[in-house]
Amino acid sequence: MALERTFSIIKPDATARNLTGKINAMIEAAGLRIVAQKRVRLSKAAAEGFYAVHSERPFFNDLVSFMISGPVVVQVLEGENAIAKYREVMGATNPENAAEGTIRKTFAESIEANSVHGSDAPETAAQEIHYFFSDLEIVG
Ligand code: UDP
C-alpha cells in the first residue's frame, strides 16, 4: 500500500500532563512519521467546526468546552496504512475498552478526556489535515 496521511490531535488532558513527547514516542515506535506539528489553542468556533459532525450529539457542548480548555498539538502523521494504524495505536474511544499498550489505555482519563484524536477515513483525514495545515507546512 502507498504512503497515507492521517490527522492527529494531542488533546488538552494530555498537554496538561506534559505527555506530548511520550505520545509522540508511541506514534514513532509504530512506524508513523510526524510530518507536520503545531501547538495551538482552539477557539470555540474552531472546535465547533472541527466536531460539526457531532453537533447533535448529547456530549457536543462538553466536548467543545474540553477541547478549548487548554492547548492542543495538531499533527499530520504519514506511513503505510496510517489511518488504520493510528486508530490501532490510539485504542478505543472509551479507555475502559482500549487494548493494553494503546495511547488511550495508557494515558486517557475518561471517554471525553481521551488524550488523542485520529481521523477515521481517507475523506475525513484530508478534510481535517486542511482544516489546520497548508500543503507548505507538511514536510514528508
Ligand atoms: N466523546 C465523548 N463522549 C462520548 C463519545 C465521544 O465525550 O460518549 C468525545 C471523545 O473525546 C471522542 C470524541 O468525542 O474522542 C469524538 O467521538 P468519536 O465517536 O468520533 O470517537 P473517536 O473517533 O475519537 O474514537
Side-chain angles (χ1 to χ4, degrees), residues 11 51 54 59 63 87 93 104 111-112 114:
K11 295 185 179 181
Y51 279 121
H54 292 312
F59 58 81
L63 175 60
R87 299 285 300 184
T93 308
R104 284 169 165 170
I111 191 170
E112 176 183 86
N114 60 2

Side-chain angles (χ1 to χ4, degrees), residues 2-8 27-28 30-36 75-83 85-86 129 138-140:
L3 282 184
E4 188 175 66
R5 285 178 176 171
T6 192
F7 176 73
S8 162
I27 288 169
E28 292 180 339
L32 294 167
R33 188 174 296 273
I34 300 163
V35 295
Q75 307 175 306
V76 181
L77 311 181
E78 185 178 85
E80 297 281 324
N81 210 13
I83 295 169
K85 185 177 284 181
Y86 189 46
I129 287 169
I138 305 170
V139 184

Side-chain angles (χ1 to χ4, degrees), residues 56-131:
E56 303 303 320
R57 307 282 286 278
F59 58 81
F60 179 71
N61 289 335
D62 285 346
L63 175 60
V64 168
S65 297
F66 164 62
M67 291 299 290
I68 65 174
S69 67
V72 299
V73 177
V74 293
Q75 307 175 306
V76 181
L77 311 181
E78 185 178 85
E80 297 281 324
N81 210 13
I83 295 169
K85 185 177 284 181
Y86 189 46
R87 299 285 300 184
E88 249 181 71
V89 174
M90 286 164 48
T93 308
N94 185 343
E96 287 176 16
N97 303 327
E100 288 297 332
T102 60
I103 294 171
R104 284 169 165 170
K105 181 70 175 187
T106 308
F107 296 123
E109 296 180 319
S110 67
I111 191 170
E112 176 183 86
N114 60 2
S115 302
V116 281
H117 166 87
S119 309
D120 60 5
E123 300 71 32
T124 46
Q127 185 200 332
E128 291 173 359
I129 287 169
H130 290 110
Y131 196 79

